[in-house]
C-alpha cells in the first residue's frame, strides 16, 4: 500500500472516530479507554459500556437485517385479550418504510420515560448508527404505546431501550415486545442482552432473562 492510500485510510478512520465521539457525547456516553489486553481494540460493547474489556462477541454485526420469517408489520396479542400493532423500522430500509411521524412519537415516549430516571436514552442510534426500532401502536387510535431500540452484535441482540406509555402499562405490551425481540434474535441465532434497571430486574427474570456474570455493570 502506498503512502497516499495509507494517509487516506488514517484520515477516514479518524473522521469516523470523531463522528462516533460526537454522537456518543450527545447521548451522554463517552468513548472508552482502549483495552491494551484486547490488542488496542474497542467495539460496540465498549461504546455502550457493557464491559471495559474488548470482547469480539460484542462487535457490531455487519448484517443488521431482520430474518424474513419475522414480519416487519404484525399484530401482538396481549394478556388482557387486546392487541397492538407493531412495525419494525430502520433508516437503511427503503424510504417508504420509514414513517418519520411515527418515529418522532416513539422518540418522545422513550426520551420521556427514561428522563424520569435521570437517564439520557433516546432513539437517536436508529437515525445515526443503524439500530432498528419496534414501534407499537393502538390499532384503534394510532397512539404510540411502546417502543424498543436494538442492534445486532456478533452474538447478541442488544436491547438499547424499551418504553411503554403509562396508560398502556400492566396490559402486557412490554412482555409482548420482549417476546418479539426474543424471536427476532432467535432467528438470527443470537441471545438478547440488555441492561436492566434494578426495579425491573424481576420482570426480566420472569421473561426468562438471567443475570450475567460475564458482563459486570460498569460505571457510567
Amino acid at each position: 500500500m502506498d503512502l497516499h492510500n495509507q494517509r487516506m485510510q488514517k484520515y477516514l478512520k479518524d473522521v469516523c472516530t470523531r463522528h462516533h465521539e460526537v454522537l456518543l457525547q450527545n447521548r451522554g456516553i463517552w468513548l472508552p479507554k482502549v483495552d491494551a489486553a484486547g490488542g488496542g481494540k474497542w467495539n460496540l460493547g465498549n461504546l455502550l459500556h457493557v464491559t471495559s474489556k474488548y470482547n469480539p462477541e460484542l462487535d457490531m454485526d455487519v448484517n443488521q437485517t431482520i430474518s424474513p420469517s419475522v414480519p416487519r408489520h404484525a399484530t401482538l396479542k396481549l394478556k388482557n385479550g387486546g392487541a397492538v400493532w407493531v412495525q419494525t423500522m430502520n433508516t437503511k430500509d427503503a424510504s417508504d418504510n420509514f414513517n418519520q411521524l411515527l418515529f418522532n412519537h416513539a422518540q418522545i415516549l422513550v426520551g420521556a420515560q427514561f428522563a424520569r430516571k435521570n437517564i439520557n436514552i433516546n432513539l437517536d442510534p436508529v437515525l445515526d448508527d443503524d439500530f432498528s426500532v419496534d414501534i407499537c401502536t393502538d390499532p384503534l387510535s394510532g397512539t404510540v404505546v411502546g417502543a424498543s431500540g436494538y442492534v445486532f452484535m456478533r452474538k447478541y441482540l442488544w436491547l438499547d431501550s424499551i418504553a411503554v406509555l403509562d396508560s398502556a402499562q400492566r396490559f402486557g405490551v412490554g412482555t409482548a415486545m420482549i417476546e418479539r425481540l426474543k424471536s427476532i434474535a432467535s432467528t438470527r441465532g443470537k441471545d438478547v442482552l440488555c441492561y436492566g434497571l434494578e426495579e425491573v430486574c424481576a420482570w426480566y427474570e420472569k421473561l426468562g432473562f438471567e443475570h450475567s456474570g460475564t458482563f459486570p455493570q460498569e460505571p457510567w
Side-chain angles (χ1 to χ4, degrees):
M1 182 182 296
D2 60 37
L3 183 61
H4 173 71
N5 285 336
Q6 289 178 350
R7 287 176 175 173
M8 284 300 298
Q9 285 201 359
K10 183 178 186 302
Y11 168 76
L12 293 173
K13 181 179 180 180
D14 290 344
V15 168
C16 182
T17 299
R18 287 196 298 272
H19 171 71
H20 280 82
E21 185 173 12
V22 170
L23 294 176
L24 290 163
Q25 288 178 5
N26 288 339
R27 297 184 63 206
I29 302 175
W30 293 83
L31 285 172
K33 295 180 179 179
V34 174
D35 176 23
K41 297 180 180 179
W42 51 263
N43 60 9
L44 186 60
N46 302 125
L47 294 175
L48 294 169
H49 292 241
V50 179
T51 177
S52 60
K53 303 296 183 182
Y54 173 74
N55 186 330
E57 293 180 347
L58 304 180
D59 285 346
M60 187 171 183
D61 197 324
V62 296
N63 177 12
Q64 291 296 319
T65 59
I66 307 248
S67 171
S69 64
V70 180
R72 304 185 72 88
H73 298 77
T75 300
L76 302 183
K77 299 295 184 181
L78 306 181
K79 63 183 181 182
N80 68 342
V84 294
W85 291 98
V86 64
Q87 176 177 343
T88 299
M89 295 192 296
N90 184 295
T91 53
K92 298 300 187 292
D93 293 334
S95 58
D96 60 352
N97 188 54
F98 193 87
N99 186 323
Q100 186 66 54
L101 181 60
L102 194 65
F103 176 83
N104 290 344
H105 284 291
Q107 175 81 294
I108 292 171
L109 170 61
V110 171
Q113 292 285 9
F114 279 95
R116 294 178 181 178
K117 308 293 184 182
N118 294 317
I119 299 174
N120 181 24
I121 292 288
N122 52 50
L123 295 176
D124 285 351
V126 176
L127 299 176
D128 300 317
D129 295 329
D130 205 17
F131 283 41
S132 296
V133 60
D134 278 3
I135 302 177
C136 293
T137 56
D138 183 300
L140 297 179
S141 66
T143 301
V144 173
V145 296
S148 60
Y150 54 95
V151 65
F152 292 114
M153 294 176 165
R154 180 177 295 184
K155 184 177 179 180
Y156 302 98
L157 180 154
W158 169 260
L159 175 57
D160 192 56
S161 60
I162 183 169
V164 177
L165 189 68
D166 287 348
S167 60
Q169 293 180 9
R170 307 289 183 184
F171 295 109
V173 176
T175 297
M177 294 172 66
I178 290 292
E179 293 302 329
R180 174 177 168 82
L181 290 174
K182 288 164 69 175
S183 295
I184 291 174
S186 177
T187 60
R188 290 287 311 276
K190 302 178 188 292
D191 295 320
V192 178
L193 182 67
C194 69
Y195 275 128
L197 297 177
E198 187 173 354
E199 61 263 35
V200 296
C201 282
W203 176 71
Y204 278 114
E205 290 176 339
K206 287 181 180 179
L207 296 176
F209 284 77
E210 298 178 353
H211 285 284
S212 174
T214 307
F215 308 117
Q217 183 175 350
E218 298 291 338
W220 285 64

